[in-house]
Amino acid sequence: NLFVIGDETFCGGHFTVPKDRALTESMSSEIKAQFAALSEDAISQIRTFPSLFASENHGFGKTDDAHQACFGIVTDVKIQDNGIKIHFRPLWAIPQQKLNEIAFNIALQRASAFNELNRTHWAIKKVNLIEELKAAGISVLAPT
C-alpha cells in the first residue's frame, strides 16, 4: 500500500483518501481489478500488506530532510460518503527524501520521472517493499 495525502495529517490513527484517488491510478490493471471494489475479501488482504504513509513532497520529486513518512499497517478500511477512511498503525518513521531516492525501486516512479509522492492518492504496488527498503539501508523490522 502507498498512501500519499495532502491537506490531512496522519494524527489520530486514521485519515481519509478522496474516492476519485483511491485505487484508481498508478496501479496495474490486474491489481486494480482485484482491489478497487473494496470487497470484504479485498479489505482483508489489504490489511496484510506492508504500507507506506506519506504526505506530498515539499518540492517536485524531492523534499526537505525533516519531512518524515512512515511504514506501518492498515487496520481497517471504511467506505464513507466523503471518501475512504483508512485506520492505520504506524510502526517506523522513514525520512521521506530516502523514499524519493529509491522511488523507482519501490515502484513509485516511472521512467517519465513522475514521482507518486507528489500527488495525493492510494495505490497498491506489486513490489517486495521490505526487501527493497532493506536494500536501501532502511530497516523497518528493527532500529537502524
Side-chain angles (χ1 to χ4, degrees), residues 48-69:
T48 69
F49 298 157
S51 302
L52 288 175
F53 303 93
S55 56
E56 290 182 0
N57 279 327
H58 296 161
F60 189 77
K62 63 182 179 183
T63 194
D64 54 77
D65 292 337
H67 193 164
Q68 295 290 306

Side-chain angles (χ1 to χ4, degrees), residues 80-144:
Q80 301 182 162
D81 286 343
N82 64 337
I84 310 298
K85 190 173 191 176
I86 307 297
H87 295 264
F88 75 106
R89 180 170 297 133
L91 299 174
W92 297 105
I94 299 172
Q96 187 156 318
Q97 184 53 33
K98 290 280 254 181
L99 298 178
N100 282 302
E101 292 166 9
I102 64 166
F104 186 79
N105 296 353
I106 57 175
L108 306 186
Q109 180 175 326
R110 297 188 294 269
S112 64
F114 171 76
N115 182 324
E116 289 185 52
L117 296 173
N118 294 331
R119 179 174 163 78
T120 296
H121 71 292
W122 170 21
I124 296 175
K125 304 296 184 165
K126 187 174 184 178
V127 65
N128 187 327
L129 180 60
I130 295 170
E131 184 178 289
E132 292 296 338
L133 291 174
K134 183 179 177 183
I138 302 167
S139 176
V140 293
L141 303 177
T144 52

Side-chain angles (χ1 to χ4, degrees), residues 1 43-50 73-74:
N1 286 305
I43 292 171
S44 291
Q45 288 183 57
I46 287 165
R47 293 175 61 193
T48 69
F49 298 157
I73 58 170
V74 171

